[in-house]
Amino acid sequence: MIRNKIILSILFLCLINLIFLIGCSNKNDLEEDTKNKIVQELEYLDTQIISILNQLNNISLQNYNVTSEEVSLGKESGSSGSGGSSQSGQSSQGEQKQSSSQSESGSSKEKSNITVTQMEPKTVLESDENDIDWKTIKNEIEIINNAWAVIVLDLSSLNVDSNDILGFSNTLDDCILSIKNENKVDSLTNLTNLYSFIPKYETFISAPNNNQNIKQVKEYIIRAYSFVEQDNWSEIESNINKCEETFKNILNDIEYIKNKEYKVNKIYVSIKEMQNSLTYKDKKLFYIKYKTLLESMNSL
């Protein structure tokens, strides 16, 4: 299963490579296509890093978890097979065969199963943030590590600052070690630092302004989130304030929000709601507001 996920991740990135290399007629076309490919690769890193961060507190952006379970129907009343077998001493050979066949038929009915599918609510208040699935997290950080081996080549081809590339590599190593050691606080900090390179890369390659602003807003949100485990509410408040200020760049982009006004307004309201909730200094309350805000950000 783990090997399959790693292979699929690498194939996904190779497919991006293939799509954007086909049809490039000159150097400018190649650079533009490489830039667009990197934007998609950064979206991939965005999704994967935030997924691990959320798993460290058992937060799911899905409201329901679908589970399947096999249920036995139980045997029917009365079995003709058992009646036939009780006369084995006086029955003919043909009758014995008939009895055996009836017994097998009765047995097969007893073993019939059905699959029952259920939708279980995934709520923040009911989740246990200390019951961490480290096995899955270790698998996912290895997938990121394998993907980075491909992404780093594309970043280098556009002459992204070598220090920023090396910085991601070193921070990724820190993430791997803290996750290996199952250190929750260090994992939250290192993964947040890892995410912070995404807006830097988008700025360097001149990604669309709305992409850059969205990633910067997300960075402040998850940095605030990373401080909750440390009960550092002053840093949490500081980052949420930065989040609001940066989000105003999106509010002021009239062309971008033209067809997204409802979604953008909903996000701004969620940011204000989160700010107001900080006075309680309650982890669970923050995680609820965080989940709502992140879900809204992902809708843009």
Side-chain angles (χ1 to χ4, degrees), residues 11-271:
L11 287 175
F12 171 76
L13 293 170
C14 289
L15 180 61
I16 294 176
N17 272 318
L18 181 61
I19 290 172
F20 287 101
L21 286 176
I22 292 174
C24 295
S25 57
N26 55 53
K27 183 178 179 181
N28 290 336
D29 288 340
L30 180 60
E31 286 185 355
E32 185 63 26
D33 286 345
T34 301
K35 170 186 166 181
N36 291 334
K37 180 161 66 71
I38 290 174
V39 169
Q40 290 196 30
E41 290 169 337
L42 294 178
E43 289 292 340
Y44 171 80
L45 288 177
D46 168 280
T47 302
Q48 295 300 109
I49 293 171
I50 291 178
S51 171
I52 298 177
L53 280 163
N54 289 341
Q55 288 179 67
L56 287 168
N57 281 301
N58 276 324
I59 294 174
S60 173
L61 298 185
Q62 297 177 343
N63 292 321
Y64 291 92
N65 184 35
V66 179
T67 60
S68 297
E69 180 184 7
E70 276 201 355
V71 178
S72 176
L73 290 177
K75 63 182 180 179
E76 298 178 0
S77 59
S79 175
S80 58
S82 59
S85 62
S86 64
Q87 301 175 5
S88 60
Q90 301 176 1
S91 300
S92 65
Q93 185 176 0
E95 290 173 331
Q96 290 174 348
K97 288 182 179 179
Q98 183 180 5
S99 173
S100 175
S101 174
Q102 290 172 333
S103 295
E104 290 176 1
S105 175
S107 175
S108 65
K109 290 181 180 178
E110 291 173 3
K111 294 180 180 178
S112 59
N113 297 325
I114 61 171
T115 301
V116 177
T117 302
Q118 298 181 7
M119 293 181 66
E120 299 177 351
K122 298 279 289 185
T123 63
V124 173
L125 291 178
E126 290 295 324
S127 65
D128 182 359
E129 63 261 30
N130 296 314
D131 184 20
I132 303 171
D133 184 0
W134 287 106
K135 183 177 180 180
T136 298
I137 291 174
K138 289 172 184 177
N139 171 36
E140 294 192 6
I141 196 64
E142 285 195 39
I143 292 175
I144 291 178
N145 184 68
N146 283 290
W148 174 243
V150 177
I151 298 170
V152 68
L153 297 176
D154 293 324
L155 292 172
S156 298
S157 71
L158 290 186
N159 298 317
V160 172
D161 191 323
S162 59
N163 289 327
D164 285 334
I165 293 177
L166 181 62
F168 189 101
S169 296
N170 291 338
T171 307
L172 179 56
D173 289 344
D174 292 337
C175 290
I176 293 171
L177 290 174
S178 57
I179 290 172
K180 177 184 77 74
N181 295 329
E182 300 185 0
N183 186 317
K184 180 178 178 179
V185 172
D186 287 351
S187 294
L188 286 164
T189 300
N190 291 330
L191 284 164
T192 301
N193 291 338
L194 192 67
Y195 187 93
S196 70
F197 286 95
I198 295 179
K200 288 181 183 178
Y201 294 150
E202 291 205 333
T203 300
F204 191 92
I205 67 173
S206 299
N209 286 336
N210 54 76
N211 281 39
Q212 296 180 42
N213 288 324
I214 289 171
K215 296 301 187 303
Q216 190 61 70
V217 168
K218 279 187 172 182
E219 181 194 339
Y220 290 133
I221 293 171
I222 64 175
R223 194 166 291 282
Y225 167 81
S226 71
F227 282 114
V228 174
E229 188 67 21
Q230 304 173 42
D231 283 323
N232 192 337
W233 293 97
S234 61
E235 282 294 336
I236 294 169
E237 182 177 6
S238 173
N239 278 281
I240 296 303
N241 290 339
K242 291 176 183 177
C243 165
E244 181 191 11
E245 288 302 312
T246 305
F247 191 75
K248 288 178 181 177
N249 294 331
I250 298 176
L251 283 172
N252 295 330
D253 189 342
I254 305 301
E255 186 64 27
Y256 175 70
I257 69 171
K258 186 166 53 178
N259 298 318
K260 302 181 177 69
E261 189 172 353
Y262 173 79
K263 292 180 179 179
V264 170
N265 288 338
K266 181 181 177 183
I267 292 171
Y268 189 69
V269 169
S270 296
I271 293 172

Side-chain angles (χ1 to χ4, degrees), residues 253-298:
D253 189 342
I254 305 301
E255 186 64 27
Y256 175 70
I257 69 171
K258 186 166 53 178
N259 298 318
K260 302 181 177 69
E261 189 172 353
Y262 173 79
K263 292 180 179 179
V264 170
N265 288 338
K266 181 181 177 183
I267 292 171
Y268 189 69
V269 169
S270 296
I271 293 172
K272 300 303 291 183
E273 285 285 312
M274 178 174 277
Q275 285 177 321
N276 293 336
S277 72
L278 296 180
T279 56
Y280 294 97
K281 297 183 179 181
D282 184 271
K283 287 184 179 182
K284 286 289 188 180
L285 179 59
F286 179 90
Y287 290 149
I288 290 174
K289 303 295 183 181
Y290 162 84
K291 176 181 175 179
T292 301
L293 178 54
L294 210 54
E295 286 174 338
S296 298
M297 288 296 301
N298 288 340

